[in-house]
Amino acid sequence: MSTGLPLPRVEARAKVTGAARYAVEHSADGVAYGWIVTSTVARGRIEAIDTAAALAAPEVVAVITHENAPRLQPVDDHELRVLQAPEVSYRGQIVGVVVAESLESAREAAALVRVDYAAEGHDVLLVRDHPKLYRPEKVNPNYPTDTSFGDFDGAFAAAEVRVDVTYTTPAFHNNPMEPHATLAVWDEDGLTLYESSQGAPTARAPVAKVLGLADERVRVVAEHVGGGFGSKGTPRPHAVLAAVAAQVTGRPVKLAVTRQQMFQITGYRTPTVQRMRLGADADGRLVAIGHDVQEQTSTVREFAEQTATPTRVMYAGANRRTTHLVAALDVPTPSWMRAPGECPGMYALESAMDELAVAAGIDPVALRVRNDPEVDPEEGVPFSSRNLVACLREGAARFGWDARDPRPSTRREGRWLVGSGVASSTYPARCRPAQAFARAEAGGRHFVVGIGATDIGTGARTVLTQVAAETLGVEPGQVTMMVGDSALPHAPVAGGSAGTASWGSAVQGACRALRAQLDASGGPSGTDTVEATYDTTEDLERQKELSRHAFGAQFVTLRVDVDSGEIRVDRLLGVFAAGRILNPRTARSQFIGGMTMGMAMALMEESVVDLEFGDYLNHDLAQYHVPVNADIPSIEAHWIDEEDPDVNPLGVKGIGEIGIVGTAAAVGNAFFHATGVRIRDLPLRPDRVL
Ligand code: MOS
């Protein structure tokens, strides 16, 4: 048995010794360096660009703007059509790129590019009931915009206990350790992008399309990636810009997005305004569940986050409705950020459940257990497995929940008010079609397995090695796992927490097929190789119709300084039900990473809009606050044994995102328990607390 063991990352040594190459660490002969020039107005038109001073600066090779850039093809994601027109749709939009012999010269010359704008007024702030709100056709990735069952209005009006509250969340920016970066190299075969991407194979087609190339002419390599959190899930405009710069100059070009530019061109989580209405009988049984979402998109492309979708699966209740509205503002296009939809949506639902528990005088764990549905409450089909109640019970036992005095604002330690809170967590357990190969070499003593998966630092390479070794019946050390290249068999993005399930099912299939061939033939002799391939498409088409989700329970203890408003989290404890856990070491990292990010959402992270310039004020890690180890003295992630053969061929549920879901609500609920005050706008800044 190789799965289930805490195998260290197979690439750990390469990473700590610096041998692992990230995107722009790859080398290329004759390489030049690009520096992005961005717009300084939020809306308007470029009237003139003067590039003379930049072109005269030392070492400058080229300055590319909409006036001299090659024409690009139409694509769905208009953000990829860089430098095609003088119109400016948001502050920080790419208006040019300077290419030079060194990074320093490119940067220096970029400051010399003079752009004159005809600026127009901008509208960059999402406010409640914004006049530009409209109803999108679908919400991401393809869910119905609204759902309605029974008579929500009537049931809510008649409910014995009612909660009608509105929560707001600000924009949040993904900040992976490695900023987005591309090395673009053209040769006779076409274009190669060494790209910091969550999906080398999936990035290829949109880049090829916008450049007017056949897919086979583009190769994307993402061998090692320093995180993404969703922001590298689709190609960003800088990747196309690097390809264009390399094409125009006839040189390989390295283009690294700066941390500051990441706040403008690589995506973020939309702010939300969420009205929650919960109606229950005196025993806390939900009779009416309403979740109405308002959020933003850009004028460049519609991005409609699926914020209310978790409310469709969480709790039983005959009368229910969910709705989404979006406003197209003069802002960068929002994008995926860890648990898009589920994360902000569950903040609102799980905060409202706490308010309902208080209003009904019922323990918040008991309230959630009481409303656990038998089947998916909107789809009407069974769950492949649903162990929310087991997570709540085990979490409560480990946390010591039963000893909690429910009365708010009654525990004081010096200047601190102390409280605890709970919230549920969920995330869809997706599995997408994937292909893989497995090859026996060296007389059947060594194996090479390949799939176009991407390891963004999560341990994907390692768990796939474990799946391959176990299926082949060999040691992990006998398997070389090849990932991170669009030249490998096609596989889905490292996103939607679907990576391990999708890729692992394909790797398992390929290794089973190879094992069968070897058992029949006796294995390769000498330098011969035996290879098998597998495609999971048909397996997935044959799957039963079920509702597939992971679940979890989050518990928090915190204290609030009554003089300063400072909040310190003392303890986070999560229990998750996510199918088979393949590697407890990397799984734990995923869970506690998500929980930490959820805590930061509640207390620290916030992208602050500058109304005058129409951009984010705090666009670096000095002012956009993310937590460090000292911010959480105790963090525990546990999981329950969950056998779920029906969820997908491998029996695993993704764990990349569920850890963040619910944590912010648990923090807010603990804050209420500590203080007796309910703050419904994140983050819980000291100025809001006091
Ligand atoms: Mo995740 S935000 O779907 O990469």
Side-chain angles (χ1 to χ4, degrees), residues 198 229-230 336-340 427 494-497 657:
Q198 289 174 231
F229 303 121
W336 300 335
M337 182 166 170
R338 206 171 197 171
Y427 197 77
S497 294
E657 293 167 274

Side-chain angles (χ1 to χ4, degrees), residues 333-349:
T333 312
S335 184
W336 300 335
M337 182 166 170
R338 206 171 197 171
E342 270 74 16
C343 178
M346 284 290 276
Y347 164 66
L349 175 61

Side-chain angles (χ1 to χ4, degrees), residues 174 198 228-234 269 306 335-340 427 430 432 456 493-498 656-657:
N174 319 44
Q198 289 174 231
F229 303 121
S231 66
K232 297 172 185 169
T234 56
R269 193 195 298 285
Q306 66 273 37
S335 184
W336 300 335
M337 182 166 170
R338 206 171 197 171
Y427 197 77
R430 299 189 176 99
R432 302 185 176 116
I456 59 174
V493 65
S497 294
E657 293 167 274

Side-chain angles (χ1 to χ4, degrees), residues 256-276:
V257 178
T258 67
R259 184 67 64 181
Q260 287 86 349
Q261 289 166 347
M262 282 176 63
F263 283 77
Q264 302 175 312
I265 59 171
T266 62
Y268 63 98
R269 193 195 298 285
T270 176
T272 69
V273 179
Q274 302 180 60
R275 182 179 184 193
M276 293 295 323

Side-chain angles (χ1 to χ4, degrees), residues 556-620:
V556 174
T557 307
L558 56 69
R559 60 206 146 88
V560 184
D561 186 316
V562 295
D563 294 326
S564 71
E566 180 185 11
I567 300 171
R568 301 298 304 179
V569 166
D570 291 321
R571 187 180 188 200
L572 292 184
L573 185 149
V575 179
F576 302 93
R580 198 150 70 96
I581 297 297
L582 297 177
N583 183 325
R585 182 194 303 256
T586 53
R588 178 177 178 278
S589 289
Q590 286 279 65
F591 288 132
I592 67 172
M595 291 163 69
T596 303
M597 214 164 156
M599 186 279 285
M601 171 185 179
L603 299 182
M604 300 177 182
E605 294 190 42
E606 175 179 24
S607 301
V608 180
V609 178
D610 179 336
L611 292 175
E612 185 179 351
F613 292 108
D615 190 6
Y616 293 103
L617 272 171
N618 51 339
H619 50 203
D620 58 38

